Amino acid sequence: MTKPTLTRWQSREIPTPALMRERVTDPQKYYANMPNFSARGVKIGGAFPVGVPPNQPLYAGQRRDVIWNRTTLSTRGFTTTDGIRFRIPEDGVYHVTFNAAVWGNTVRAVGENLNAYITADGANGLGASGDIGHTTFQHQHAGSYTTIRVSITEYFTKGTSIRSQVYLDSGATGRWGIASSQFDADFNAFMLSPSAGGWRQAAVKPPNLTPWKDNAAVSVSDMNRQTFDTFAHLENRPRFTARGTSFNVSAGQEKVALPWSSMYANDSGFTLRRLADGYADRTAITVPYSGMYLVNFFCSAQHTSGVDTASYGFQFKIHGNSGSARILAQNTTTRINQDCSVALEDLIYLGAGEPLNVRFYGWGTGTRWVSGKSDGRINTLGAVYMGG
């Protein structure tokens, strides 16, 4: 179904069945089931020796497109001709997730690096292009699985194709592959807002909905508030994306709040500021509305000293009326001076005016932690307002 064109009610206009379909029924149908796809389970290849599970092979030093099983695809609006690239059907803001469980039968003592990417091939030179999401994990145990994950919220133009990719460390030996089960690997995208005005189109504030009352005259403003304003808000939800961070945590230092070098928001109510006295500038983002937010985050760290095996985590802490609600993402790195990432997304409740911040925790005796190398997109924090 094509996105409906929204128009306002006018004075002395008769709400005919045709107008009611155009301004009420059609938008309701569209926003209840916007474009999406789900690919589950990779296409397998070759014969598998005893002890090697069915998989899509990976080869050392190669960045490979993931080929998805066509029989388990579920699409609405999206199209694919090769099971690799999925074409965006309409301009808008989409949330994309990619997960893959990678198996390897030979692992060096210091582990092997695995990289996951979400890559966009922009249409006609417009919209997002290149690596829009990237995480790196370290596979540490032979004969076992490591799940690599990355997610991102991004604005895409119609005709852009998105794909998922995995890179295996050039020093890896033995047999490697992405587990073929549809529970081990998946690639999903769904539209959040069908914004046609680009990433920088200003958001429409949440509508003020009130119940209809018996025997009350329905004014033009009442009709527009309950229909047009509601759909216009869904067409361009409030959101922000912060990119680029750096930290340097000395041995024995418990934690550090992450500062963000840049932030884009389509609503002026999102503000990037200092969390509180004693913290660095640009360490918290204040949200403008109370309600549920879809948060996505990925960030890379490395340890430059200490033991080979060390653990770290990123903690989200929300200060304010929501109390001390937390999200924690942890990982372990075995290779000094090598990036290792975490990635997560979650739905969380935030109150209007509350600041959202992320803190890095590093553990390991005599260990110094620094932010990983980045092209500007590997360290990202974003959120979209989903409703009150």
Side-chain angles (χ1 to χ4, degrees):
M1 179 179 178
T2 304
K3 182 177 78 69
T5 300
L6 303 179
T7 57
R8 291 184 177 276
W9 295 96
Q10 305 296 324
S11 297
R12 300 184 179 279
E13 194 171 37
I14 299 174
T16 63
L19 279 178
M20 292 297 287
R21 283 194 299 271
E22 174 188 328
R23 293 177 178 169
V24 180
T25 305
D26 289 348
Q28 286 178 332
K29 286 183 176 180
Y30 177 83
Y31 290 111
N33 191 17
M34 292 189 289
N36 59 80
F37 84 84
S38 176
R40 306 193 67 86
V42 299
K43 181 179 179 180
I44 62 176
F48 305 99
V50 175
V52 177
N55 64 81
Q56 180 182 318
L58 294 172
Y59 303 102
Q62 293 188 24
R63 178 162 158 171
R64 309 232 337 154
D65 289 328
V66 180
I67 307 173
W68 296 95
N69 188 341
R70 302 289 290 275
T71 63
T72 54
L73 287 180
S74 174
T75 63
R76 183 185 183 279
F78 283 82
T79 57
T80 180
T81 59
D82 55 10
I84 297 173
R85 297 166 181 83
F86 294 83
R87 195 168 298 278
I88 300 292
E90 298 179 37
D91 291 0
V93 178
Y94 293 77
H95 188 69
V96 187
T97 65
F98 167 47
N99 299 276
V102 175
W103 181 89
N105 69 343
T106 304
V107 179
R108 291 175 290 180
V110 293
E112 312 289 358
N113 283 339
L114 294 163
N115 288 262
Y117 301 89
I118 297 173
T119 301
D121 302 301
N124 304 315
L126 301 174
S129 188
D131 296 335
I132 58 173
H134 174 203
T135 56
T136 177
F137 285 57
Q138 290 173 10
H139 190 105
Q140 299 173 23
H141 299 288
S144 65
Y145 296 88
T146 291
T147 297
I148 51 178
R149 177 177 182 81
V150 62
S151 63
I152 188 66
T153 299
E154 185 61 87
Y155 181 87
F156 297 108
T157 54
K158 181 179 179 179
T160 296
S161 63
I162 55 175
R163 53 195 163 125
S164 50
Q165 299 176 308
V166 175
Y167 173 84
L168 173 62
D169 200 331
S170 61
T173 60
R175 293 181 178 273
W176 290 81
I178 301 173
S180 61
S181 170
Q182 61 178 301
F183 302 104
D184 289 324
D186 60 82
F187 186 34
N188 311 280
F190 54 93
M191 179 184 276
L192 294 175
S193 301
S195 167
W199 181 255
R200 296 185 176 277
Q201 179 180 346
V204 176
K205 299 182 184 302
N208 180 23
L209 298 178
T210 56
W212 298 105
K213 296 180 180 180
D214 292 339
N215 302 317
V218 178
S219 67
V220 172
S221 61
D222 291 335
M223 288 294 288
N224 282 321
R225 184 178 64 252
Q226 301 280 36
T227 58
F228 182 91
D229 292 351
T230 301
F231 300 137
H233 167 70
L234 295 177
E235 198 160 293
N236 199 28
R237 299 174 185 270
R239 60 186 181 271
F240 79 83
T241 296
R243 297 195 192 277
T245 190
S246 62
F247 54 88
N248 191 320
V249 184
S250 63
Q253 183 178 345
E254 181 185 3
K255 59 184 177 292
V256 63
L258 299 188
W260 297 96
S261 60
S262 63
M263 183 191 76
Y264 167 73
N266 68 348
D267 187 300
S268 60
F270 292 106
T271 55
L272 180 57
R273 63 171 181 80
R274 178 181 299 184
L275 175 60
D277 290 342
Y279 290 87
D281 290 337
R282 309 169 74 85
T283 47
I285 295 150
T286 302
V287 300
Y289 310 109
S290 296
M292 300 300 294
Y293 287 80
L294 175 61
V295 176
N296 72 269
F297 170 79
F298 48 99
C299 194
S300 180
Q302 60 177 259
H303 63 307
T304 60
S305 62
V307 297
D308 285 338
T309 301
S311 298
Y312 67 94
F314 291 93
Q315 182 193 76
F316 294 75
K317 187 168 184 180
I318 302 132
H319 295 261
N321 295 332
S322 295
S324 56
R326 291 176 171 86
I327 312 170
L328 182 65
Q330 294 176 251
N331 204 349
T332 300
T333 173
T334 57
R335 302 181 69 177
I336 290 178
N337 295 320
Q338 293 286 318
D339 282 8
C340 191
S341 306
V342 296
L344 64 82
E345 72 269 345
D346 203 351
L347 279 167
I348 60 175
Y349 180 87
L350 296 173
E354 289 187 314
L356 175 65
N357 79 99
V358 183
R359 300 181 187 185
F360 173 83
Y361 285 74
W363 298 278
T365 302
T367 300
R368 176 175 288 277
W369 293 92
V370 300
S371 48
K373 299 179 178 65
S374 170
D375 62 359
R377 286 183 177 267
I378 196 171
N379 300 322
T380 296
L381 171 65
V384 180
Y385 177 77
M386 300 303 294

